[in-house]
Amino acid sequence: MKNLLTAFTLGVTLLGCSNLPIKTDIKEDHFRLENFKREQGVDLEYVHLMCFNKKPTQWAEPKQYISGKHHLWVKASVSNPDALNSQKEAFVNFNVNLDSLIKATC
């Protein structure tokens, strides 16, 4: 029974890995924007797109947007969960003209 369970677990793992790498091709005339997070060490750091196309956005996996002129509102926050009142936030508006097929990481 133990060998059957081991074989099943190994089989599922191999099938899951056969689906990697995940497609990350960027569509024609688009750029990709990735949010940033660091949850290691003392401080927690997050940088993400706050709003796009005059609409609020939530934290999301990398998304593709049409190339061209954009007003990108970005929120950055740093906090230490062990310290009181340690949350620091910054808001920035980037007026940019982004070319297609460029990976923009913030």
Side-chain angles (χ1 to χ4, degrees):
M1 181 69 171
K2 191 174 187 180
N3 288 338
L4 181 61
L5 182 59
T6 303
F8 177 74
T9 304
L10 181 61
V12 169
T13 303
L14 290 174
L15 285 173
C17 291
S18 68
N19 293 329
L20 297 175
I22 299 170
K23 279 190 170 183
T24 58
D25 294 338
I26 299 174
K27 298 178 202 172
E28 188 174 330
D29 294 327
H30 283 71
F31 67 95
R32 185 173 78 188
L33 187 73
E34 295 181 23
N35 293 321
F36 170 82
K37 74 176 170 180
R38 180 178 294 146
E39 296 177 327
Q40 298 173 337
V42 177
D43 291 331
L44 305 176
E45 302 174 2
Y46 302 96
V47 180
H48 72 278
L49 186 62
M50 243 181 71
C51 88
F52 177 77
N53 227 7
K54 299 181 182 179
K55 296 179 184 175
T57 61
Q58 298 296 319
W59 184 272
E61 294 304 311
K63 289 189 177 180
Q64 295 185 29
Y65 301 95
I66 193 79
S67 60
K69 293 182 180 182
H70 294 278
H71 298 279
L72 303 174
W73 279 96
V74 175
K75 177 182 177 181
S77 64
V78 177
S79 65
N80 180 335
D82 298 329
L84 292 174
N85 300 321
S86 70
Q87 178 90 15
K88 297 175 187 165
E89 296 180 330
F91 303 91
V92 180
N93 177 252
F94 293 100
N95 295 316
V96 294
N97 188 2
L98 295 170
D99 293 330
S100 60
L101 301 178
I102 293 178
K103 179 183 170 186
T105 304
C106 59

